[in-house]
Amino acid sequence: MAQWDVVVIGGGPAGLMASAAAASYNVKVLLVDKGDKLGRKLAISGGGRCNVTNAKPLDELIKNVPGNGKFLFSALHMFSNTDIIGFFTRLGIELKEEDRGRMFPVNNKAKSVVDALVKEVRRLGVTIRTNKPVKELVYDQDAVKAIVLASGETITSKTVIVAVGGQSVPTTGSTGDGYPWAKAAGHTIIDLFPTAVPLTASDFFIQDARLQGLSLRNVELTLFNPKGKKVCTEEGDMLFTHFGISGPAVLRTSHYVSVTQRKFKNTPLLLTIDMMPAKSAGSIAEETVAMLKEEPRKAIKNVLRTYLPDRLLKLMLEIAGINEDVTYYDLPRDKWEKFVQLIKHFPVTITGTLSLEQATVTGGGVKIKEIDPKTMQSKCKKGLFFAGEIMDVHAHTGGYNITVAFTTGHAAGTAAAKQALEAEKF
Ligand SMILES: Cc1cc2nc3c(=O)[nH]c(=O)nc-3n(C[C@H](O)[C@H](O)[C@H](O)COP(=O)(O)OP(=O)(O)OC[C@H]3O[C@@H](n4cnc5c(N)ncnc54)[C@H](O)[C@@H]3O)c2cc1C
């Protein structure tokens, strides 16, 4: 006779939601976490504000999950972004919508989201054991039977939900512990890679850090593969750093960098920045020439000071081969064309990404073909469920990853509880 109906390993958003969903069926639920606190990553998410979910329609939401978004179709229809918003509203956490559909708590405090979730899990009668690292899972030929803690204690359960996250930011507890457990059950682990992560670049202006700290708003980034084929275009804000580039548009591009580099054996990739996507090269040429004509005796670096950030302007003039002190009268016309092209297609040589540990999200994980998308149950072992980032599902930044965790957690918790209740009948 198993001690528990449902054991949930991992108290991140996936495990907390799985615990709440399971406990709402009045079954005996145990939530085990190795940390001293639950929801440690959730508490630092969204810059400490927690981007809980995204308000976009479901088809848009799925498009923002480049790592196997279609796998979420059933789970999202059972527990969608709207349900997540309703869930938190019922717990007293009002959410507000910001740009691009991003939903945050009105009080801008991620901790209030964590506290509300933990309180709800407790209210529903879930037993919580913190500081209890799980070492391994026990299986028989067909099903999961128990978990074993690092202390040696064995805990038996009718069902086990593995929600231990990926391998990014390991200080929050996600250290990739779940992958060997999944392998032992017969699962394939798709190679891990960093995603939603800053990009590294080798260009001289990155190496000498002359643009470090410069942020650009509403630019358009286009990534090319080594054959010169366009891979993706992402728009939004970005930032130059001492190692490369970062910011929301860059983090969205990083998925495609990781995937393309894996395909092309880590070859550096060309990324171009369109500084002014709303304007054509022709209109930029007209605007800038009009500005220069108005002050024909002034050095162009001073005339265009309001048109582009100073450091970028000087760099672009240098790359175009134009002396920054030249006036309109002496401006070499062919080089001016090159300068305008640089505004539309500023090239950056991407060498890779920061490490998996530094990434916001882990790409790869438990192969989704081996998981039932309606219940999140393993197709290898009965009673074994997965939820959240441990699976080979990953999304862009914007509240989509926490949505993945909540929706898959809800599906797993619900199915595990129902299975445990079914088992009681026999
Ligand atoms: C800095 C940062 C900011 C982010 N901001 C956002 C955001 O605003 N919006 C968004 O959608 N996504 C965001 N993300 C991504 C999002 O936080 C994760 O995708 C999400 O937390 C994954 O949830 P999870 O429950 O699967 O795993 P995790 O949140 O990683 O939780 C896993 C839990 O399992 C526990 N655990 C691990 N191993 C064991 C073990 N052996 N025994 C027992 N317990 C164990 C850990 O202690 C941890 O509590 C952010 C990520 C980072 C790093």
Side-chain angles (χ1 to χ4, degrees), residues 9-16 32-35 37-42 44-53 104 132-135 163-166 168-169 172-178 181 358-362 387-390 396-405:
I9 314 175
L16 284 164
V32 188
D33 199 288
K34 70 174 172 189
K37 283 192 200 117
L38 301 175
R40 283 181 288 168
K41 193 172 273 181
L42 198 57
I44 59 162
S45 67
R49 298 199 303 135
C50 186
N51 186 184
V52 182
T53 188
F104 289 89
K132 296 281 177 257
V134 173
K135 193 174 73 184
V164 292
S168 308
V169 193
T172 60
S174 0
T175 46
D177 300 8
W181 308 338
Q358 291 161 302
T360 315
V361 182
T362 303
E389 207 175 302
I390 184 170
H396 287 317
T397 54
Y400 303 108
N401 285 292
I402 291 178
T403 304
V404 172

